Amino acid sequence: MIGDITIGQYFPGNSIIHRLDARMKMVLIFVVMVSIFFCQNYFSMGLAAFLVIGTVLLSRINLKVILKGMKPIIFIVIITTLLNLFYGTGEPIFRLGIIRITQSGLNNAIFMALRILLLVVSGLMLTYTTTPTQLTDAIESLLKPLTVFKFDIHSLAMTMTIALRFIPILIEEVEKIMAAQKSRGADMESGGLIKRVKGIIPVLIPLFISSFRRANELADAMECRCYRGGEGRTKMNVNHLVLRDYIALCLVIAYCAGIVLLKIYTQRVI
Protein backbone atom coordinates (compact mmCIF):
# COMPACT_ATOMS: atom_id res chain seq x y z
CA MET A 1 0.00 0.00 0.00
CA ILE A 2 2.84 2.40 0.83
CA GLY A 3 4.38 1.82 -2.58
CA ASP A 4 1.11 2.90 -4.21
CA ILE A 5 1.47 6.49 -2.96
CA THR A 6 2.67 8.48 -5.95
CA ILE A 7 1.85 12.03 -4.84
CA GLY A 8 4.79 14.37 -5.32
CA GLN A 9 6.27 12.34 -8.16
CA TYR A 10 6.94 13.84 -11.57
CA PHE A 11 6.56 11.76 -14.72
CA PRO A 12 8.53 13.28 -17.61
CA GLY A 13 6.67 13.87 -20.83
CA ASN A 14 6.16 16.24 -23.73
CA SER A 15 2.37 16.43 -23.74
CA ILE A 16 0.45 19.69 -23.97
CA ILE A 17 -0.33 19.43 -20.24
CA HIS A 18 3.37 19.10 -19.44
CA ARG A 19 4.15 22.15 -21.58
CA LEU A 20 1.55 24.42 -19.99
CA ASP A 21 2.92 27.24 -17.87
CA ALA A 22 3.07 26.04 -14.25
CA ARG A 23 1.37 29.22 -12.98
CA MET A 24 -1.53 28.86 -15.36
CA LYS A 25 -1.73 25.14 -14.59
CA MET A 26 -1.98 25.75 -10.84
CA VAL A 27 -4.65 28.44 -11.23
CA LEU A 28 -6.75 26.39 -13.65
CA ILE A 29 -6.57 23.24 -11.52
CA PHE A 30 -7.58 25.27 -8.45
CA VAL A 31 -10.55 26.69 -10.37
CA VAL A 32 -11.58 23.21 -11.52
CA MET A 33 -11.33 21.87 -7.96
CA VAL A 34 -13.53 24.66 -6.64
CA SER A 35 -16.04 24.19 -9.46
CA ILE A 36 -16.43 20.50 -8.59
CA PHE A 37 -18.06 21.53 -5.30
CA PHE A 38 -20.63 23.56 -7.24
CA CYS A 39 -21.74 20.57 -9.30
CA GLN A 40 -25.20 19.81 -7.93
CA ASN A 41 -26.60 17.56 -10.69
CA TYR A 42 -25.43 14.71 -12.86
CA PHE A 43 -25.10 16.92 -15.94
CA SER A 44 -22.63 19.33 -14.33
CA MET A 45 -20.78 16.48 -12.60
CA GLY A 46 -20.53 14.71 -15.95
CA LEU A 47 -19.08 17.88 -17.48
CA ALA A 48 -16.48 18.06 -14.69
CA ALA A 49 -15.63 14.38 -15.17
CA PHE A 50 -15.30 14.95 -18.94
CA LEU A 51 -12.82 17.79 -18.35
CA VAL A 52 -10.72 15.84 -15.83
CA ILE A 53 -10.67 12.68 -17.98
CA GLY A 54 -9.76 14.79 -21.02
CA THR A 55 -6.86 16.29 -19.06
CA VAL A 56 -5.64 12.81 -18.12
CA LEU A 57 -5.76 11.68 -21.75
CA LEU A 58 -3.95 14.81 -22.97
CA SER A 59 -1.24 14.34 -20.34
CA ARG A 60 -0.44 10.88 -21.79
CA ILE A 61 0.17 9.57 -18.27
CA ASN A 62 -0.31 5.81 -18.11
CA LEU A 63 -3.74 4.95 -16.74
CA LYS A 64 -2.16 2.38 -14.41
CA VAL A 65 -0.19 5.19 -12.77
CA ILE A 66 -3.40 7.19 -12.17
CA LEU A 67 -5.17 4.16 -10.70
CA LYS A 68 -2.14 3.41 -8.53
CA GLY A 69 -2.19 6.97 -7.20
CA MET A 70 -5.90 6.67 -6.37
CA LYS A 71 -5.58 3.31 -4.62
CA PRO A 72 -4.59 4.70 -1.17
CA ILE A 73 -7.76 6.83 -0.95
CA ILE A 74 -10.22 4.08 -1.93
CA PHE A 75 -10.89 3.30 1.76
CA ILE A 76 -11.70 6.96 2.44
CA VAL A 77 -14.03 7.03 -0.57
CA ILE A 78 -15.87 3.91 0.61
CA ILE A 79 -16.31 5.19 4.19
CA THR A 80 -17.48 8.62 3.01
CA THR A 81 -19.89 7.06 0.52
CA LEU A 82 -21.43 4.79 3.16
CA LEU A 83 -21.85 7.65 5.64
CA ASN A 84 -23.70 9.74 3.05
CA LEU A 85 -25.70 6.75 1.86
CA PHE A 86 -27.37 6.07 5.21
CA TYR A 87 -28.00 9.67 6.26
CA GLY A 88 -30.37 10.86 3.56
CA THR A 89 -33.79 12.40 4.08
CA GLY A 90 -37.14 11.61 2.51
CA GLU A 91 -38.97 8.41 1.75
CA PRO A 92 -36.75 5.31 1.90
CA ILE A 93 -36.24 3.28 -1.28
CA PHE A 94 -34.70 0.43 0.72
CA ARG A 95 -35.18 -0.55 4.35
CA LEU A 96 -33.63 -3.33 6.41
CA GLY A 97 -34.26 -2.94 10.11
CA ILE A 98 -32.76 0.36 11.23
CA ILE A 99 -30.92 0.69 7.92
CA ARG A 100 -32.75 2.93 5.47
CA ILE A 101 -31.56 4.26 2.13
CA THR A 102 -33.30 7.23 0.54
CA GLN A 103 -33.02 8.76 -2.91
CA SER A 104 -31.30 11.86 -1.51
CA GLY A 105 -28.86 9.69 0.44
CA LEU A 106 -28.03 7.70 -2.69
CA ASN A 107 -27.47 10.89 -4.69
CA ASN A 108 -25.30 12.40 -1.94
CA ALA A 109 -23.20 9.23 -1.76
CA ILE A 110 -22.62 9.17 -5.52
CA PHE A 111 -21.80 12.88 -5.68
CA MET A 112 -19.41 12.69 -2.72
CA ALA A 113 -17.53 9.71 -4.19
CA LEU A 114 -17.23 11.43 -7.59
CA ARG A 115 -16.09 14.68 -5.98
CA ILE A 116 -13.31 13.00 -4.02
CA LEU A 117 -12.11 11.00 -7.03
CA LEU A 118 -12.13 14.03 -9.35
CA LEU A 119 -10.35 16.19 -6.77
CA VAL A 120 -7.63 13.58 -6.26
CA VAL A 121 -7.08 13.07 -10.00
CA SER A 122 -6.91 16.84 -10.54
CA GLY A 123 -4.28 17.19 -7.83
CA LEU A 124 -2.29 14.28 -9.21
CA MET A 125 -2.24 15.90 -12.64
CA LEU A 126 -0.46 18.92 -11.18
CA THR A 127 2.38 16.98 -9.56
CA TYR A 128 2.64 14.35 -12.32
CA THR A 129 3.16 16.94 -15.08
CA THR A 130 5.09 19.68 -13.26
CA THR A 131 8.69 19.51 -12.08
CA PRO A 132 9.58 20.62 -8.52
CA THR A 133 11.50 23.59 -9.94
CA GLN A 134 8.47 24.71 -11.95
CA LEU A 135 6.25 24.33 -8.88
CA THR A 136 8.61 26.47 -6.81
CA ASP A 137 8.73 29.21 -9.45
CA ALA A 138 4.95 29.11 -9.90
CA ILE A 139 4.18 29.33 -6.18
CA GLU A 140 6.67 32.14 -5.75
CA SER A 141 5.22 34.05 -8.71
CA LEU A 142 1.59 33.61 -7.63
CA LEU A 143 2.30 34.64 -4.04
CA LYS A 144 4.52 37.56 -4.99
CA PRO A 145 1.88 40.19 -3.99
CA LEU A 146 2.35 39.06 -0.37
CA THR A 147 5.84 40.57 -0.38
CA VAL A 148 4.08 43.87 0.39
CA PHE A 149 3.41 42.41 3.86
CA LYS A 150 7.07 41.35 4.25
CA PHE A 151 6.41 37.66 3.65
CA ASP A 152 9.43 35.62 2.58
CA ILE A 153 7.69 34.09 -0.41
CA HIS A 154 10.77 32.40 -1.83
CA SER A 155 11.49 30.48 1.37
CA LEU A 156 7.83 29.48 1.67
CA ALA A 157 7.70 28.21 -1.92
CA MET A 158 11.01 26.40 -1.52
CA THR A 159 9.86 24.72 1.72
CA MET A 160 6.56 23.58 0.20
CA THR A 161 8.26 22.17 -2.89
CA ILE A 162 10.99 20.36 -0.92
CA ALA A 163 8.34 18.84 1.37
CA LEU A 164 6.36 17.66 -1.64
CA ARG A 165 9.46 16.31 -3.36
CA PHE A 166 10.52 14.36 -0.26
CA ILE A 167 7.26 12.37 -0.09
CA PRO A 168 8.29 9.71 -2.66
CA ILE A 169 11.80 9.62 -1.18
CA LEU A 170 10.45 8.95 2.33
CA ILE A 171 8.05 6.31 0.97
CA GLU A 172 10.96 4.52 -0.66
CA GLU A 173 12.90 4.78 2.62
CA VAL A 174 9.98 3.27 4.57
CA GLU A 175 9.83 0.32 2.17
CA LYS A 176 13.56 -0.32 2.58
CA ILE A 177 13.37 -0.12 6.39
CA MET A 178 10.34 -2.42 6.54
CA ALA A 179 12.06 -4.96 4.29
CA ALA A 180 15.19 -4.82 6.49
CA GLN A 181 13.19 -5.23 9.70
CA LYS A 182 11.20 -8.15 8.28
CA SER A 183 14.42 -9.86 7.24
CA ARG A 184 15.47 -9.61 10.91
CA GLY A 185 12.27 -11.34 12.00
CA ALA A 186 10.07 -8.33 12.77
CA ASP A 187 6.33 -9.09 12.59
CA MET A 188 4.28 -6.04 11.50
CA GLU A 189 1.21 -7.63 9.96
CA SER A 190 -0.17 -10.11 12.49
CA GLY A 191 -1.74 -9.62 15.90
CA GLY A 192 -4.10 -6.99 17.25
CA LEU A 193 -4.06 -3.24 16.82
CA ILE A 194 -1.73 -2.58 19.77
CA LYS A 195 0.78 -5.16 18.55
CA ARG A 196 0.76 -3.67 15.06
CA VAL A 197 1.31 -0.17 16.45
CA LYS A 198 4.27 -1.45 18.46
CA GLY A 199 5.58 -3.10 15.32
CA ILE A 200 5.74 0.30 13.58
CA ILE A 201 8.16 1.71 16.16
CA PRO A 202 11.20 -0.13 14.68
CA VAL A 203 10.32 1.58 11.39
CA LEU A 204 9.67 5.10 12.70
CA ILE A 205 12.94 5.50 14.62
CA PRO A 206 15.24 4.72 11.64
CA LEU A 207 12.94 6.80 9.42
CA PHE A 208 13.31 9.89 11.65
CA ILE A 209 17.08 9.42 11.81
CA SER A 210 17.27 9.02 8.02
CA SER A 211 15.05 12.08 7.48
CA PHE A 212 17.22 14.30 9.67
CA ARG A 213 20.35 13.00 7.93
CA ARG A 214 18.87 13.78 4.52
CA ALA A 215 17.81 17.24 5.72
CA ASN A 216 21.36 17.99 6.90
CA GLU A 217 22.81 16.72 3.63
CA LEU A 218 20.39 18.90 1.67
CA ALA A 219 21.28 21.95 3.78
CA ASP A 220 25.00 21.31 3.25
CA ALA A 221 24.50 20.89 -0.49
CA MET A 222 22.57 24.18 -0.71
CA GLU A 223 25.24 26.01 1.27
CA CYS A 224 28.00 24.54 -0.94
CA ARG A 225 26.16 25.98 -3.94
CA CYS A 226 26.06 29.39 -2.23
CA TYR A 227 22.30 29.37 -1.73
CA ARG A 228 21.30 32.42 0.32
CA GLY A 229 17.56 32.66 -0.28
CA GLY A 230 15.62 34.48 -2.95
CA GLU A 231 17.01 37.98 -2.53
CA GLY A 232 18.98 39.07 -5.58
CA ARG A 233 18.53 35.73 -7.34
CA THR A 234 17.68 35.52 -11.01
CA LYS A 235 15.99 32.65 -12.82
CA MET A 236 17.63 30.51 -15.44
CA ASN A 237 14.30 29.95 -17.23
CA VAL A 238 11.78 32.80 -17.18
CA ASN A 239 8.22 31.62 -17.72
CA HIS A 240 6.02 33.35 -20.28
CA LEU A 241 2.39 32.71 -21.14
CA VAL A 242 1.96 31.53 -24.73
CA LEU A 243 -1.00 30.70 -26.98
CA ARG A 244 -1.65 27.24 -25.51
CA ASP A 245 -1.94 28.75 -22.01
CA TYR A 246 -4.60 31.22 -23.16
CA ILE A 247 -6.45 28.45 -25.00
CA ALA A 248 -6.49 26.38 -21.78
CA LEU A 249 -7.77 29.43 -19.90
CA CYS A 250 -10.59 29.93 -22.41
CA LEU A 251 -11.56 26.26 -22.19
CA VAL A 252 -11.78 26.39 -18.39
CA ILE A 253 -13.80 29.63 -18.55
CA ALA A 254 -16.20 27.94 -20.99
CA TYR A 255 -16.37 24.94 -18.65
CA CYS A 256 -17.23 27.17 -15.66
CA ALA A 257 -19.89 28.94 -17.74
CA GLY A 258 -21.32 25.54 -18.63
CA ILE A 259 -21.51 24.58 -14.94
CA VAL A 260 -23.40 27.79 -14.14
CA LEU A 261 -25.78 27.44 -17.11
CA LEU A 262 -26.54 23.81 -16.26
CA LYS A 263 -27.30 24.76 -12.67
CA ILE A 264 -29.66 27.54 -13.78
CA TYR A 265 -31.35 25.31 -16.38
CA THR A 266 -31.93 22.40 -14.00
CA GLN A 267 -33.34 24.73 -11.33
CA ARG A 268 -35.85 26.11 -13.83
CA VAL A 269 -36.85 22.64 -14.99
CA ILE A 270 -37.36 21.47 -11.42
Side-chain angles (χ1 to χ4, degrees):
M1 180 64 73
I2 294 178
D4 294 330
I5 302 176
T6 57
I7 185 173
Q9 295 187 22
Y10 168 70
F11 294 90
N14 193 35
S15 69
I16 189 171
I17 306 299
H18 284 82
R19 289 183 279 118
L20 284 176
D21 187 276
R23 297 167 298 174
M24 181 65 74
K25 201 184 306 183
M26 290 185 68
V27 171
L28 295 184
I29 288 179
F30 175 76
V31 171
V32 171
M33 285 182 168
V34 173
S35 70
I36 291 173
F37 288 98
F38 288 92
C39 297
Q40 302 297 329
N41 54 70
Y42 290 104
F43 297 104
S44 56
M45 188 62 74
L47 182 59
F50 177 79
L51 179 66
V52 174
I53 294 173
T55 304
V56 172
L57 295 177
L58 289 175
S59 69
R60 299 177 186 173
I61 300 293
N62 195 320
L63 184 59
K64 292 182 179 179
V65 174
I66 305 295
L67 296 177
K68 185 178 180 181
M70 295 171 61
K71 188 176 178 181
I73 59 102
I74 292 298
F75 179 75
I76 298 176
V77 174
I78 294 174
I79 294 298
T80 306
T81 302
L82 290 177
L83 289 176
N84 284 273
L85 183 64
F86 297 126
Y87 286 95
T89 58
E91 290 295 325
I93 58 177
F94 175 81
R95 184 190 293 272
L96 180 61
I98 61 173
I99 298 176
R100 55 192 298 273
I101 299 176
T102 64
Q103 185 65 44
S104 64
L106 182 61
N107 290 334
N108 291 337
I110 295 174
F111 275 93
M112 188 57 65
L114 289 175
R115 282 195 182 101
I116 296 175
L117 293 176
L118 293 178
L119 288 171
V120 171
V121 174
S122 300
L124 291 176
M125 282 295 96
L126 177 62
T127 58
Y128 285 178
T129 62
T130 314
T131 66
T133 302
Q134 291 174 338
L135 281 176
T136 303
D137 293 341
I139 295 173
E140 185 177 357
S141 178
L142 292 174
L143 297 181
K144 196 170 184 179
L146 294 180
T147 54
V148 177
F149 304 101
K150 306 300 181 181
F151 279 97
D152 190 355
I153 302 303
H154 178 81
S155 297
L156 176 62
M158 180 66 70
T159 302
M160 293 173 62
T161 306
I162 289 176
L164 190 64
R165 182 64 185 88
F166 261 70
I167 292 176
I169 296 176
L170 292 178
I171 292 173
E172 182 181 354
E173 193 73 21
V174 169
E175 290 181 333
K176 290 180 179 179
I177 295 172
M178 291 181 66
Q181 295 293 358
K182 287 180 180 179
S183 66
R184 294 180 175 89
D187 186 6
M188 305 175 187
E189 299 178 354
S190 63
L193 179 62
I194 297 178
K195 186 177 179 181
R196 291 189 179 186
V197 172
K198 290 182 179 179
I200 297 177
I201 296 177
V203 176
L204 293 179
I205 294 176
L207 179 63
F208 276 113
I209 295 174
S210 174
S211 300
F212 284 119
R213 185 183 71 250
R214 287 181 181 274
N216 289 329
E217 291 175 353
L218 177 61
D220 292 340
M222 295 173 74
E223 289 182 1
C224 290
R225 290 168 174 79
C226 301
Y227 177 78
R228 295 294 183 271
E231 186 176 355
R233 290 176 61 87
T234 58
K235 299 185 184 301
M236 182 175 180
N237 298 314
V238 181
N239 294 323
H240 297 286
L241 298 178
V242 295
L243 179 61
R244 58 175 172 266
D245 299 307
Y246 292 110
I247 293 175
L249 176 61
C250 293
L251 289 175
V252 173
I253 291 175
Y255 154 78
C256 293
I259 295 292
V260 174
L261 292 175
L262 284 172
K263 184 175 181 180
I264 295 173
Y265 174 77
T266 52
Q267 286 178 345
R268 289 181 177 179
V269 172
I270 295 174

